[in-house]
Amino acid sequence: QVQLVESGGGLVQAGGSLRLSCATSGRTFSTYHMGWFRQAPGKEREFVAAITWSGSTTYYTDSVKGRFTISRDNAKNTVYLQMNSLKPEDTAVYYCAADTRWATLTTRNNGGYWGQGTQVTVSS
């Protein structure tokens, strides 16, 4: 069982930055691939970024490439999402997810375990 708790969301002006954190419980964090997703009001959940269990490979949706960076610290059981040059269209609830299958996160827009989400609001 893996429990995920996101933090770091908030209100920021366009062009600003935020860093989201996702702290996990359990001793098996380093065996899970991790992903970030977001859901804006009235829209479907959208994949944002993912990182392999070792941190050696990352993957991003096109709209955040060059602006967002996913990273992880297996010693701290935490995954991060550094978000720079934020735009109003980045406004959403951001969720982290964990899964042992890379394809589940990156192609199936899903995950085995989910956090409760953290709100990110970007004002214009």
Side-chain angles (χ1 to χ4, degrees), residues 19 22-26 29 72-80:
R19 188 175 84 152
C22 175
T24 71
S25 64
F29 173 73
R72 67 189 294 160
D73 185 339
N74 285 347
K76 295 183 178 180
N77 288 356
T78 302
V79 62
Y80 306 97

Side-chain angles (χ1 to χ4, degrees), residues 16-50:
S17 299
L18 283 173
R19 188 175 84 152
L20 305 183
S21 298
C22 175
T24 71
S25 64
R27 294 173 290 178
T28 59
F29 173 73
S30 61
T31 66
Y32 283 87
H33 306 308
M34 300 296 296
W36 285 97
F37 296 77
R38 65 187 180 187
Q39 188 166 21
K43 295 187 177 181
E44 293 186 352
R45 185 175 64 204
E46 174 189 26
F47 168 81
V48 176

Side-chain angles (χ1 to χ4, degrees), residues 62-123:
D62 286 346
S63 62
V64 307
K65 285 180 181 177
R67 300 189 298 123
F68 291 11
T69 302
I70 188 171
S71 62
R72 67 189 294 160
D73 185 339
N74 285 347
K76 295 183 178 180
N77 288 356
T78 302
V79 62
Y80 306 97
L81 186 67
Q82 177 67 44
M83 306 186 295
N84 299 329
S85 303
L86 282 161
K87 305 175 181 179
E89 51 263 44
D90 294 318
T91 295
V93 177
Y94 283 70
Y95 300 89
C96 67
D99 206 285
T100 56
R101 295 158 294 185
W102 182 244
T104 299
L105 294 173
T106 58
T107 65
R108 299 179 184 174
N109 195 16
N110 210 340
Y113 299 97
W114 292 87
Q116 84 290 345
T118 185
Q119 176 71 48
V120 171
T121 303
V122 184
S123 63

